[in-house]
PDB file of all heavy atoms in Angstrom:
ATOM      1  N   SER A 242      23.784 -19.126 -10.491  1.00 85.00           N
ATOM      2  CA  SER A 242      23.348 -19.897 -11.709  1.00 85.00           C
ATOM      3  C   SER A 242      21.895 -19.779 -11.972  1.00 85.00           C
ATOM      4  O   SER A 242      21.333 -20.153 -13.108  1.00 85.00           O
ATOM      5  CB  SER A 242      23.720 -21.382 -11.498  1.00 85.00           C
ATOM      6  OG  SER A 242      22.989 -21.967 -10.543  1.00 85.00           O
ATOM      7  N   HIS A 243      21.146 -19.239 -10.989  1.00 86.00           N
ATOM      8  CA  HIS A 243      19.680 -19.124 -11.116  1.00 86.00           C
ATOM      9  C   HIS A 243      19.227 -17.629 -11.393  1.00 86.00           C
ATOM     10  O   HIS A 243      18.054 -17.349 -11.387  1.00 86.00           O
ATOM     11  CB  HIS A 243      18.984 -19.625  -9.808  1.00 86.00           C
ATOM     12  CG  HIS A 243      18.916 -21.065  -9.751  1.00 86.00           C
ATOM     13  ND1 HIS A 243      19.962 -21.859  -9.423  1.00 86.00           N
ATOM     14  CD2 HIS A 243      17.855 -21.937  -9.921  1.00 86.00           C
ATOM     15  CE1 HIS A 243      19.659 -23.079  -9.420  1.00 86.00           C
ATOM     16  NE2 HIS A 243      18.378 -23.199  -9.711  1.00 86.00           N
ATOM     17  N   ILE A 244      20.202 -16.752 -11.700  1.00 88.00           N
ATOM     18  CA  ILE A 244      19.819 -15.379 -11.968  1.00 88.00           C
ATOM     19  C   ILE A 244      18.918 -15.272 -13.165  1.00 88.00           C
ATOM     20  O   ILE A 244      17.906 -14.498 -13.176  1.00 88.00           O
ATOM     21  CB  ILE A 244      21.096 -14.486 -12.099  1.00 88.00           C
ATOM     22  CG1 ILE A 244      21.786 -14.353 -10.740  1.00 88.00           C
ATOM     23  CG2 ILE A 244      20.708 -13.163 -12.651  1.00 88.00           C
ATOM     24  CD1 ILE A 244      22.999 -13.452 -10.830  1.00 88.00           C
ATOM     25  N   ASP A 245      19.238 -16.034 -14.217  1.00 90.00           N
ATOM     26  CA  ASP A 245      18.360 -16.022 -15.395  1.00 90.00           C
ATOM     27  C   ASP A 245      16.921 -16.490 -15.063  1.00 90.00           C
ATOM     28  O   ASP A 245      15.960 -15.968 -15.644  1.00 90.00           O
ATOM     29  CB  ASP A 245      18.940 -16.908 -16.527  1.00 90.00           C
ATOM     30  CG  ASP A 245      20.094 -16.290 -17.202  1.00 90.00           C
ATOM     31  OD1 ASP A 245      20.309 -14.999 -17.021  1.00 90.00           O
ATOM     32  OD2 ASP A 245      20.922 -17.000 -17.841  1.00 90.00           O
ATOM     33  N   LEU A 246      16.803 -17.474 -14.189  1.00 91.00           N
ATOM     34  CA  LEU A 246      15.507 -17.936 -13.797  1.00 91.00           C
ATOM     35  C   LEU A 246      14.767 -16.787 -13.101  1.00 91.00           C
ATOM     36  O   LEU A 246      13.544 -16.533 -13.459  1.00 91.00           O
ATOM     37  CB  LEU A 246      15.625 -19.066 -12.799  1.00 91.00           C
ATOM     38  CG  LEU A 246      14.355 -19.467 -12.019  1.00 91.00           C
ATOM     39  CD1 LEU A 246      13.318 -20.027 -13.040  1.00 91.00           C
ATOM     40  CD2 LEU A 246      14.666 -20.480 -10.901  1.00 91.00           C
ATOM     41  N   ILE A 247      15.400 -16.097 -12.229  1.00 90.00           N
ATOM     42  CA  ILE A 247      14.734 -14.932 -11.495  1.00 90.00           C
ATOM     43  C   ILE A 247      14.347 -13.858 -12.522  1.00 90.00           C
ATOM     44  O   ILE A 247      13.223 -13.289 -12.500  1.00 90.00           O
ATOM     45  CB  ILE A 247      15.712 -14.304 -10.418  1.00 90.00           C
ATOM     46  CG1 ILE A 247      16.238 -15.318  -9.451  1.00 90.00           C
ATOM     47  CG2 ILE A 247      14.994 -13.159  -9.777  1.00 90.00           C
ATOM     48  CD1 ILE A 247      15.143 -15.966  -8.661  1.00 90.00           C
ATOM     49  N   ARG A 248      15.213 -13.601 -13.488  1.00 92.00           N
ATOM     50  CA  ARG A 248      14.867 -12.572 -14.494  1.00 92.00           C
ATOM     51  C   ARG A 248      13.641 -12.936 -15.360  1.00 92.00           C
ATOM     52  O   ARG A 248      12.761 -12.184 -15.571  1.00 92.00           O
ATOM     53  CB  ARG A 248      16.076 -12.395 -15.497  1.00 92.00           C
ATOM     54  CG  ARG A 248      17.164 -11.538 -14.953  1.00 92.00           C
ATOM     55  CD  ARG A 248      18.043 -11.076 -16.121  1.00 92.00           C
ATOM     56  NE  ARG A 248      19.480 -10.859 -15.756  1.00 92.00           N
ATOM     57  CZ  ARG A 248      20.371 -11.781 -15.957  1.00 92.00           C
ATOM     58  NH1 ARG A 248      20.114 -13.005 -16.500  1.00 92.00           N
ATOM     59  NH2 ARG A 248      21.641 -11.562 -15.532  1.00 92.00           N
ATOM     60  N   ASN A 249      13.621 -14.247 -15.752  1.00 94.00           N
ATOM     61  CA  ASN A 249      12.481 -14.691 -16.477  1.00 94.00           C
ATOM     62  C   ASN A 249      11.199 -14.688 -15.755  1.00 94.00           C
ATOM     63  O   ASN A 249      10.182 -14.261 -16.300  1.00 94.00           O
ATOM     64  CB  ASN A 249      12.795 -16.208 -16.983  1.00 94.00           C
ATOM     65  CG  ASN A 249      13.834 -16.271 -17.999  1.00 94.00           C
ATOM     66  OD1 ASN A 249      14.140 -15.309 -18.705  1.00 94.00           O
ATOM     67  ND2 ASN A 249      14.460 -17.459 -18.122  1.00 94.00           N
ATOM     68  N   VAL A 250      11.265 -15.020 -14.468  1.00 94.00           N
ATOM     69  CA  VAL A 250       9.999 -14.979 -13.599  1.00 94.00           C
ATOM     70  C   VAL A 250       9.601 -13.523 -13.419  1.00 94.00           C
ATOM     71  O   VAL A 250       8.341 -13.208 -13.569  1.00 94.00           O
ATOM     72  CB  VAL A 250      10.253 -15.627 -12.233  1.00 94.00           C
ATOM     73  CG1 VAL A 250       9.166 -15.267 -11.240  1.00 94.00           C
ATOM     74  CG2 VAL A 250      10.457 -17.086 -12.388  1.00 94.00           C
ATOM     75  N   LEU A 251      10.489 -12.608 -13.256  1.00 94.00           N
ATOM     76  CA  LEU A 251      10.141 -11.170 -13.117  1.00 94.00           C
ATOM     77  C   LEU A 251       9.507 -10.695 -14.364  1.00 94.00           C
ATOM     78  O   LEU A 251       8.403 -10.020 -14.333  1.00 94.00           O
ATOM     79  CB  LEU A 251      11.496 -10.393 -12.837  1.00 94.00           C
ATOM     80  CG  LEU A 251      11.990 -10.480 -11.411  1.00 94.00           C
ATOM     81  CD1 LEU A 251      13.431  -9.906 -11.386  1.00 94.00           C
ATOM     82  CD2 LEU A 251      11.129  -9.646 -10.454  1.00 94.00           C
ATOM     83  N   ALA A 252      10.070 -10.989 -15.529  1.00 95.00           N
ATOM     84  CA  ALA A 252       9.469 -10.528 -16.853  1.00 95.00           C
ATOM     85  C   ALA A 252       8.089 -11.137 -17.093  1.00 95.00           C
ATOM     86  O   ALA A 252       7.173 -10.422 -17.511  1.00 95.00           O
ATOM     87  CB  ALA A 252      10.468 -10.886 -17.945  1.00 95.00           C
ATOM     88  N   GLU A 253       8.028 -12.464 -16.871  1.00 97.00           N
ATOM     89  CA  GLU A 253       6.742 -13.077 -17.153  1.00 97.00           C
ATOM     90  C   GLU A 253       5.604 -12.637 -16.239  1.00 97.00           C
ATOM     91  O   GLU A 253       4.436 -12.354 -16.688  1.00 97.00           O
ATOM     92  CB  GLU A 253       6.881 -14.637 -16.984  1.00 97.00           C
ATOM     93  CG  GLU A 253       7.739 -15.273 -18.066  1.00 97.00           C
ATOM     94  CD  GLU A 253       8.086 -16.660 -17.729  1.00 97.00           C
ATOM     95  OE1 GLU A 253       7.609 -17.220 -16.751  1.00 97.00           O
ATOM     96  OE2 GLU A 253       8.896 -17.337 -18.504  1.00 97.00           O
ATOM     97  N   THR A 254       5.910 -12.537 -14.937  1.00 96.00           N
ATOM     98  CA  THR A 254       4.831 -12.057 -14.039  1.00 96.00           C
ATOM     99  C   THR A 254       4.552 -10.567 -14.173  1.00 96.00           C
ATOM    100  O   THR A 254       3.372 -10.198 -13.990  1.00 96.00           O
ATOM    101  CB  THR A 254       5.231 -12.350 -12.573  1.00 96.00           C
ATOM    102  OG1 THR A 254       6.573 -11.810 -12.275  1.00 96.00           O
ATOM    103  CG2 THR A 254       5.359 -13.881 -12.324  1.00 96.00           C
ATOM    104  N   GLU A 255       5.520  -9.785 -14.575  1.00 97.00           N
ATOM    105  CA  GLU A 255       5.252  -8.419 -14.822  1.00 97.00           C
ATOM    106  C   GLU A 255       4.339  -8.273 -15.969  1.00 97.00           C
ATOM    107  O   GLU A 255       3.313  -7.485 -15.955  1.00 97.00           O
ATOM    108  CB  GLU A 255       6.538  -7.625 -15.137  1.00 97.00           C
ATOM    109  CG  GLU A 255       6.318  -6.148 -15.462  1.00 97.00           C
ATOM    110  CD  GLU A 255       7.661  -5.429 -15.731  1.00 97.00           C
ATOM    111  OE1 GLU A 255       8.747  -5.981 -15.477  1.00 97.00           O
ATOM    112  OE2 GLU A 255       7.536  -4.258 -16.150  1.00 97.00           O
ATOM    113  N   ASN A 256       4.541  -8.980 -17.072  1.00 97.00           N
ATOM    114  CA  ASN A 256       3.654  -8.882 -18.264  1.00 97.00           C
ATOM    115  C   ASN A 256       2.235  -9.415 -17.850  1.00 97.00           C
ATOM    116  O   ASN A 256       1.231  -8.823 -18.346  1.00 97.00           O
ATOM    117  CB  ASN A 256       4.228  -9.763 -19.351  1.00 97.00           C
ATOM    118  CG  ASN A 256       3.408  -9.602 -20.614  1.00 97.00           C
ATOM    119  OD1 ASN A 256       3.316  -8.555 -21.207  1.00 97.00           O
ATOM    120  ND2 ASN A 256       2.777 -10.721 -21.014  1.00 97.00           N
ATOM    121  N   ARG A 257       2.118 -10.488 -17.056  1.00 97.00           N
ATOM    122  CA  ARG A 257       0.828 -10.968 -16.686  1.00 97.00           C
ATOM    123  C   ARG A 257       0.032  -9.938 -15.842  1.00 97.00           C
ATOM    124  O   ARG A 257      -1.151  -9.721 -16.026  1.00 97.00           O
ATOM    125  CB  ARG A 257       0.977 -12.238 -15.884  1.00 97.00           C
ATOM    126  CG  ARG A 257      -0.286 -13.089 -15.623  1.00 97.00           C
ATOM    127  CD  ARG A 257      -0.023 -14.236 -14.694  1.00 97.00           C
ATOM    128  NE  ARG A 257       1.106 -14.995 -15.274  1.00 97.00           N
ATOM    129  CZ  ARG A 257       1.989 -15.636 -14.462  1.00 97.00           C
ATOM    130  NH1 ARG A 257       1.896 -15.595 -13.216  1.00 97.00           N
ATOM    131  NH2 ARG A 257       2.993 -16.312 -15.077  1.00 97.00           N
ATOM    132  N   LEU A 258       0.747  -9.295 -14.904  1.00 97.00           N
ATOM    133  CA  LEU A 258       0.119  -8.270 -14.115  1.00 97.00           C
ATOM    134  C   LEU A 258      -0.333  -7.088 -14.884  1.00 97.00           C
ATOM    135  O   LEU A 258      -1.508  -6.617 -14.812  1.00 97.00           O
ATOM    136  CB  LEU A 258       1.135  -7.810 -13.001  1.00 97.00           C
ATOM    137  CG  LEU A 258       0.625  -6.678 -12.140  1.00 97.00           C
ATOM    138  CD1 LEU A 258      -0.564  -7.033 -11.265  1.00 97.00           C
ATOM    139  CD2 LEU A 258       1.754  -6.228 -11.170  1.00 97.00           C
ATOM    140  N   VAL A 259       0.513  -6.625 -15.767  1.00 98.00           N
ATOM    141  CA  VAL A 259       0.149  -5.498 -16.617  1.00 98.00           C
ATOM    142  C   VAL A 259      -1.075  -5.768 -17.508  1.00 98.00           C
ATOM    143  O   VAL A 259      -1.997  -5.006 -17.624  1.00 98.00           O
ATOM    144  CB  VAL A 259       1.347  -5.134 -17.544  1.00 98.00           C
ATOM    145  CG1 VAL A 259       0.885  -4.084 -18.588  1.00 98.00           C
ATOM    146  CG2 VAL A 259       2.469  -4.499 -16.693  1.00 98.00           C
ATOM    147  N   GLN A 260      -1.140  -6.995 -18.099  1.00 98.00           N
ATOM    148  CA  GLN A 260      -2.226  -7.332 -18.932  1.00 98.00           C
ATOM    149  C   GLN A 260      -3.560  -7.389 -18.179  1.00 98.00           C
ATOM    150  O   GLN A 260      -4.596  -6.945 -18.638  1.00 98.00           O
ATOM    151  CB  GLN A 260      -1.984  -8.836 -19.575  1.00 98.00           C
ATOM    152  CG  GLN A 260      -0.910  -8.734 -20.624  1.00 98.00           C
ATOM    153  CD  GLN A 260      -1.152  -7.800 -21.743  1.00 98.00           C
ATOM    154  OE1 GLN A 260      -2.243  -7.550 -22.181  1.00 98.00           O
ATOM    155  NE2 GLN A 260      -0.070  -7.149 -22.197  1.00 98.00           N
ATOM    156  N   ARG A 261      -3.526  -7.864 -16.910  1.00 98.00           N
ATOM    157  CA  ARG A 261      -4.735  -7.879 -16.103  1.00 98.00           C
ATOM    158  C   ARG A 261      -5.199  -6.466 -15.769  1.00 98.00           C
ATOM    159  O   ARG A 261      -6.368  -6.167 -15.718  1.00 98.00           O
ATOM    160  CB  ARG A 261      -4.455  -8.672 -14.888  1.00 98.00           C
ATOM    161  CG  ARG A 261      -4.280 -10.199 -15.130  1.00 98.00           C
ATOM    162  CD  ARG A 261      -4.219 -11.036 -13.911  1.00 98.00           C
ATOM    163  NE  ARG A 261      -5.507 -11.040 -13.225  1.00 98.00           N
ATOM    164  CZ  ARG A 261      -5.792 -11.757 -12.170  1.00 98.00           C
ATOM    165  NH1 ARG A 261      -4.795 -12.540 -11.561  1.00 98.00           N
ATOM    166  NH2 ARG A 261      -6.927 -11.715 -11.525  1.00 98.00           N
ATOM    167  N   VAL A 262      -4.214  -5.556 -15.504  1.00 98.00           N
ATOM    168  CA  VAL A 262      -4.600  -4.153 -15.226  1.00 98.00           C
ATOM    169  C   VAL A 262      -5.174  -3.562 -16.447  1.00 98.00           C
ATOM    170  O   VAL A 262      -6.222  -2.836 -16.355  1.00 98.00           O
ATOM    171  CB  VAL A 262      -3.350  -3.372 -14.744  1.00 98.00           C
ATOM    172  CG1 VAL A 262      -3.672  -1.912 -14.587  1.00 98.00           C
ATOM    173  CG2 VAL A 262      -2.859  -3.957 -13.382  1.00 98.00           C
ATOM    174  N   LEU A 263      -4.542  -3.736 -17.664  1.00 98.00           N
ATOM    175  CA  LEU A 263      -5.056  -3.143 -18.832  1.00 98.00           C
ATOM    176  C   LEU A 263      -6.453  -3.602 -19.158  1.00 98.00           C
ATOM    177  O   LEU A 263      -7.327  -2.892 -19.694  1.00 98.00           O
ATOM    178  CB  LEU A 263      -4.131  -3.424 -19.999  1.00 98.00           C
ATOM    179  CG  LEU A 263      -2.704  -2.778 -19.876  1.00 98.00           C
ATOM    180  CD1 LEU A 263      -1.896  -3.077 -21.107  1.00 98.00           C
ATOM    181  CD2 LEU A 263      -2.784  -1.305 -19.639  1.00 98.00           C
TER     182      LEU A 263
END
Side-chain angles (χ1 to χ4, degrees):
S242 68
H243 283 75
I244 289 179
D245 284 343
L246 168 65
I247 305 297
R248 282 202 209 93
N249 290 338
V250 168
L251 284 164
E253 290 169 7
T254 54
E255 178 178 350
N256 185 63
R257 189 183 312 144
L258 175 60
V259 169
Q260 291 303 324
R261 293 188 67 177
V262 172
L263 296 183

